[in-house]
Amino acid sequence: MSVLIFIDHSEGQIKKSSLEVLSYGAALAAQLGTTAEGVLLGTVSSDLATLGKYGIKKVHQAAQESLNALDAQVQGKIIADLAAGSGATVVVFSNNFSGKAIAPRVAVRLKAGLVSGAVALPDTSNGFVVKKNVFSGKAFALIAVNSPIKVIALNPNSYAIKEGEGTAEISPLSVTALPPKVRVLSATVASGEVPLTEAELVVSGGRGLKGPENWGMVEELASTLGAATACSRPVADANWRPHHEHVGQTGIAIAPNLYIAIGISGAIQHLAGVNRSKVIVVINKDPEAPFFKAADYGIVGDAFEVVPKMIDAVKKLKGIA
Ligand SMILES: Cc1cc2nc3c(=O)[nH]c(=O)nc-3n(C[C@H](O)[C@H](O)[C@H](O)COP(=O)(O)OP(=O)(O)OC[C@H]3O[C@@H](n4cnc5c(N)ncnc54)[C@H](O)[C@@H]3O)c2cc1C
């Protein structure tokens, strides 16, 4: 019996969301009186032994370069086989792009109950009950999982990374390379930007910015803060910004520590993707804009006056000329 945690990575780097699930899985293992182990498919540049500081005892690594790219069917089989062979009773994923693709396949193979979108450690005082977000973050549901093996996909940014001391043992995992069922013909990687789903700070713009030519100040505020940029759906639909920046019900759901919304009205479909942000700052010239009801801080004013002043203030604070 143990907790097995999927360690997701991209371009040789372990994702921040993986550190969250490692911390979560280790805390869950302690709660269950068992140990936590990680599984990494592919290769990364960092020393996997250092992942022990997040509370795991062992990392199973199938160090085949062919496993670096996501192939949910191949990876799902490897993880399910490992979980079954090692006697894992809980398998934990991040509910990110990879986790959403792999976790259900692992659950089916293990005949396990799956909770996707978990936001807290399970309550194991009477059974195994997991809290998750429902209705686009408008409510919570408590899901009792009764199957012997459980699969959890934890929402990114809902569990704090906990670092301690410790070194993990590396256990090479030999896998028979399965023939891939899908073949990636090409991939375009957004480079030089903070990935939106991993970002702690996000600066987002809406139709109030009038046109793509006015995004310079959004990007400058974001780069000064070290933030990712996002946008509302009409902005992406009009091709003012790339679609991967679109947040909301039909876009990406994010939960950064700080979300700054500039010229966005705060429609319910937009809020569905950002209302798990820890602090929301809204800049809108209309004091009746619905977004102010969801805001922790609101500035009623013209974005074209407010944002340059914010950039100056942040630069001054950071000592940037
Ligand atoms: C099924 C469905 C799914 C949808 N999914 C999504 C989704 O995932 N994400 C999403 O974002 N939307 C989604 N929408 C669209 C959503 O309903 C809204 O239409 C959209 O979010 C509005 O975008 P906006 O706030 O940028 O634009 P607007 O509603 O046009 O608001 C612009 C805001 O800017 C303010 N403003 C104007 N000028 C300035 C200025 N100079 N300074 C400061 N403020 C200014 C205005 O007061 C206004 O509040 C969906 C709609 C449907 C029906």
Side-chain angles (χ1 to χ4, degrees):
M1 169 173 147
S2 63
V3 175
L4 183 65
I5 304 147
F6 175 64
I7 304 167
D8 193 14
H9 59 96
S10 167
E11 298 186 333
Q13 304 296 320
I14 291 173
K15 292 186 181 172
K16 178 183 148 251
S17 54
S18 294
L19 306 184
E20 293 168 3
V21 283
L22 286 173
S23 305
Y24 177 92
L28 175 57
Q31 191 176 316
L32 297 172
T34 181
T35 52
E37 300 179 357
V39 53
L40 187 139
L41 306 180
T43 51
V44 290
S45 51
S46 49
D47 177 7
L48 294 182
T50 60
L51 294 178
K53 67 183 174 196
Y54 302 104
I56 57 166
K57 294 275 172 262
K58 193 189 268 190
V59 180
H60 303 270
Q61 184 187 19
Q64 285 166 240
E65 298 232 336
S66 60
L67 293 171
N68 284 342
L70 174 66
D71 185 332
Q73 298 187 47
V74 171
Q75 295 173 341
K77 177 167 185 338
I78 297 171
I79 295 165
D81 287 349
L82 175 65
S86 65
T89 47
V90 188
V91 188
V92 182
F93 293 84
S94 173
N95 195 33
N96 62 6
F97 188 68
S98 317
K100 281 178 183 164
I102 306 171
R105 292 179 158 90
V106 170
V108 168
R109 285 183 177 276
L110 296 172
K111 295 190 170 35
L114 163 70
V115 181
S116 59
V119 293
L121 282 168
D123 178 354
T124 50
S125 57
N126 182 17
F128 194 97
V129 179
V130 188
K131 187 177 185 183
K132 66 166 281 181
N133 272 136
V134 288
F135 300 125
S136 303
K138 282 247 165 279
F140 294 114
L142 297 173
I143 310 289
V145 190
N146 299 321
S147 52
I149 304 180
K150 287 107 176 138
V151 177
I152 298 176
L154 175 75
N155 267 349
N157 284 329
S158 50
Y159 193 83
I161 297 167
K162 294 197 176 83
E163 270 187 52
E165 310 256 303
T167 310
E169 176 199 335
I170 314 297
S171 171
L173 181 64
S174 69
V175 294
T176 330
L178 299 170
K181 297 219 170 117
V182 292
R183 202 157 54 92
V184 179
L185 297 178
S186 70
T188 311
V189 180
S191 59
E193 301 166 11
V194 183
L196 195 46
T197 46
E198 301 270 304
E200 306 245 343
L201 315 174
V202 174
V203 180
S204 188
R207 208 150 43 179
L209 287 169
K210 319 284 187 235
E213 66 280 6
N214 295 324
W215 242 262
M217 64 180 186
V218 175
E219 285 177 334
E220 191 178 354
L221 179 58
S223 69
T224 313
L225 284 167
T229 48
C231 67
S232 66
R233 176 170 151 172
V235 163
D237 284 349
N239 284 326
W240 294 2
R241 298 297 293 174
H243 270 284
H244 65 77
E245 287 196 359
H246 156 202
V247 289
Q249 184 185 318
T250 45
I252 302 172
I254 55 171
N257 288 333
L258 174 67
Y259 183 73
I260 303 178
I262 306 168
I264 303 177
S265 57
I268 189 164
Q269 297 90 354
H270 184 85
L271 289 175
V274 304
N275 59 8
R276 289 190 298 111
S277 308
K278 300 225 166 48
V279 175
I280 295 178
V281 177
V282 170
I283 302 163
N284 198 304
K285 68 175 187 185
D286 174 8
E288 301 298 325
F291 220 150
F292 283 121
K293 290 205 176 81
D296 297 283
Y297 300 93
I299 302 172
V300 179
D302 186 334
F304 297 95
E305 289 171 19
V306 174
V307 176
K309 285 184 186 159
M310 278 178 94
I311 295 168
D312 284 347
V314 176
K315 282 187 174 168
K316 209 173 278 174
L317 200 69
K318 292 196 163 191
I320 305 168

